[in-house]
Amino acid sequence: QVQLVESGGGLVQGGGSLRLSCAASGIIFSINKMGWYRQAPGKQRELVATITSGGNTNYADSVKGRFAISRDNAKNTVFLQMNSLKPEDTAVYYCNANSPSGTVRWGHGTQVTVSS
């Protein structure tokens, strides 16, 4: 059974930091492109960052220079380090796994709330 389990969300003051983790099971983690997406109330889900199996990263313009995605293939885990958080970063953050065959899987999300 495939599972993507996010953790690390919470309430933080503006300017603060959080580190999200996503532990994967039931997939060959190392070959999957992993990503973080977020969805704020009343808005569509949007890309935050992705990392390929080879370690290439891509970021939304809104988080460049503040967020960093990384992966530990030995632990089947992808991370999102979020610094200089802003109230507009408030959202539910979802982990995403995209296999080479195009199968997409999602976690259940973790809430991040940034107070002003």
Side-chain angles (χ1 to χ4, degrees), residues 4-102:
L4 299 176
V5 181
E6 302 98 335
S7 61
L11 173 63
V12 64
Q13 277 193 326
S17 298
L18 284 174
R19 189 191 196 207
L20 305 184
S21 299
C22 171
S25 60
I27 61 172
I28 306 173
F29 180 82
S30 62
I31 66 172
N32 275 258
K33 179 180 180 180
M34 301 299 298
W36 288 96
Y37 290 71
R38 67 186 181 188
Q39 188 166 18
K43 295 188 176 181
Q44 289 189 328
R45 192 172 295 189
E46 63 176 6
L47 169 73
V48 176
T50 61
I51 184 166
T52 67
S53 57
N56 293 319
T57 58
N58 180 56
Y59 296 93
D61 288 343
S62 59
V63 307
K64 281 180 182 176
R66 300 188 299 122
F67 290 11
I69 188 170
S70 60
R71 64 191 296 161
D72 185 338
N73 288 339
K75 296 182 178 180
N76 288 0
T77 302
V78 62
F79 305 96
L80 185 68
Q81 178 66 44
M82 305 187 294
N83 300 324
S84 303
L85 282 161
K86 305 175 181 180
E88 50 264 43
D89 294 318
T90 295
V92 177
Y93 284 70
Y94 297 90
C95 178
N96 165 278
N98 196 331
S99 76
S101 65

